[in-house]
Amino acid sequence: MLERRNLSRILPFAAYMLFLAVQDFLDKFVGLSSQDLRWVYPVKVGVVLALLLYFWRDYDELRQRLRASALAAGVVVGILVFVIWINANLSWMVVGSSKGFDPRGAQGGLDWFFVCVRLIGAALIVPVMEELFFRSFLMRWLVNPDISKVEPQQVTYGYLVAVSAVFAIEHTLWFAGLLAGLAYGLLYMRCKNLWSPIVAHGVTNGVLGAWVLYTGNWQYW
């Protein structure tokens, strides 16, 4: 049976992935339109947020203070990953296709409810959820199933690559996802603080969201 410290880091991510599977099913087998499926995202991030809040007292690493240097490193890495993300789009760097998230209403104008929910979810909630799972849980669990005994600097580069590969599989832009996973993982190992990759991840997603809104490249959302 999974210990609570592990379960608290797995369940929010598992819920997120379950909603992705449900959305894919509704798209391919039920035939719901993209307009109908927009409502899945607010429900998804709401459930993930509820789980994060429920387990919040279990996230000891989130009570650590972040040094100014680690904060700066997170911001710089986040911007660099964004640049990579929008340019790593050669055919061999992409697997499958993504319709993305289109926040426009039936009349073509932006629906600001969906815009705000998407930005908040992508920049504030998803980074916490994914970093808790990939970096705090999975990278340490590979070293020792009792993750409380593993410090970030004890994670080997082999495990960093393995977890980054899993992180890449989660994304259509798999190559960009791989590089992002390596960057966030190295931040965690070097800064020894989970907030640093969370900041980087949040900056990447936040800047990407602003860029998508400016350019209309909804497939990146």
Side-chain angles (χ1 to χ4, degrees), residues 48-66:
V48 170
L49 177 59
L51 287 169
L52 289 174
L53 292 176
Y54 177 77
F55 287 115
W56 194 258
R57 66 183 177 86
D58 296 281
Y59 306 139
D60 295 336
E61 61 271 58
L62 297 186
R63 287 191 281 275
Q64 293 179 308
R65 297 185 64 179
L66 183 63

Side-chain angles (χ1 to χ4, degrees), residues 35-218:
Q35 290 290 313
D36 295 326
L37 291 174
R38 290 187 307 166
W39 287 99
V40 174
Y41 191 84
V43 176
K44 175 170 60 179
V45 295
V47 170
V48 170
L49 177 59
L51 287 169
L52 289 174
L53 292 176
Y54 177 77
F55 287 115
W56 194 258
R57 66 183 177 86
D58 296 281
Y59 306 139
D60 295 336
E61 61 271 58
L62 297 186
R63 287 191 281 275
Q64 293 179 308
R65 297 185 64 179
L66 183 63
R67 302 188 311 274
S69 58
L71 173 62
V75 172
V76 170
V77 168
I79 293 173
L80 289 175
V81 171
F82 158 72
V83 173
I84 292 171
W85 203 272
I86 63 174
N87 287 286
N89 52 14
L90 298 177
S91 59
W92 64 270
M93 299 176 178
V94 183
V95 58
S97 61
S98 173
K99 295 180 180 179
F101 182 86
D102 190 340
R104 292 174 296 179
Q107 304 303 318
L110 289 175
D111 187 320
W112 285 101
F113 168 77
F114 288 105
V115 169
C116 292
V117 168
R118 183 69 180 192
L119 286 174
I120 291 171
L124 299 179
I125 298 173
V126 168
V128 175
M129 173 268 294
E130 289 196 323
E131 295 309 311
L132 280 168
F133 176 74
F134 284 105
R135 259 57 72 175
S136 176
F137 167 67
L138 193 54
M139 282 178 63
R140 293 195 293 169
W141 182 82
L142 289 171
V143 177
N144 187 335
D146 185 353
I147 63 173
S148 65
K149 297 180 179 178
V150 182
E151 297 296 327
Q153 65 271 24
Q154 293 178 276
V155 178
T156 66
Y157 287 107
Y159 289 147
L160 167 66
V161 172
V163 172
S164 299
V166 176
F167 187 74
I169 293 171
E170 187 193 1
H171 298 88
T172 302
L173 297 171
W174 71 267
F175 186 68
L178 176 63
L179 296 181
L182 290 170
Y184 300 154
L186 280 171
L187 269 179
Y188 180 52
M189 294 163 63
R190 296 293 176 85
C191 295
K192 305 172 187 177
N193 189 309
L194 190 66
W195 279 114
S196 191
I198 288 174
V199 167
H201 202 153
V203 168
T204 299
N205 289 3
V207 175
L208 179 64
W211 178 81
V212 167
L213 288 171
Y214 181 74
T215 62
N217 286 293
W218 311 116

